[in-house]
Amino acid sequence: MIDRISCRGVILDWDKLLVVNLDPKDNYYCLPWGTLEKYEELESCLKREILEELWVEPKIKKLMYIHEVVIEKKLHLVEFFFAIENIEDYHHINLENATHSFEINELRWINIYDESVIFLPKWLLQKLRKDKKSNITEIITSK
């Protein structure tokens, strides 16, 4: 049984990726994301979560990656990574209007080639550096 299904938005402007830090105690960044609710469609989940957290409605371009994580038969996660195409809308975000902006500690653009930034999942930056123009959806498994 899957413990959590989540959707993540890949908001990539050339070499810059929009990321969030959710907790000031954590020193890493991740993509904006949300957990799928019962009977919710994947794209609806991503649109709802990004709108709640960033107050920008995403235009979903395509499914890029499916990431499955199984940790010692104790935790089973499946994540869907979608490319977002209305990039310009994310350069002037006003979090004051977002209903769930309290969930975000910091919002910033990072360079995907900057090795000093701690970003999770680690494999994603490597894929983005290599596959920026790929049209293939890829399945990645982590254990």
Side-chain angles (χ1 to χ4, degrees), residues 7-9 42-48 50 57-64 81-86 90:
C7 298
R8 296 180 180 260
L42 295 171
E43 288 189 12
S44 296
C45 170
L46 183 61
K47 286 180 180 180
R48 174 183 53 77
I50 289 182
E57 185 167 348
K59 292 182 181 148
I60 297 172
K61 184 175 182 180
K62 68 172 187 155
L63 176 62
M64 296 176 71
F81 292 77
F82 290 92
I84 305 300
E85 61 184 349
N86 55 322
Y90 292 90

Side-chain angles (χ1 to χ4, degrees), residues 67-85:
H67 181 215
E68 181 179 35
V69 181
V70 179
I71 302 173
E72 299 177 6
K73 297 187 179 183
K74 295 179 182 175
L75 184 63
H76 189 187
L77 311 173
V78 178
E79 303 174 307
F80 294 86
F81 292 77
F82 290 92
I84 305 300
E85 61 184 349

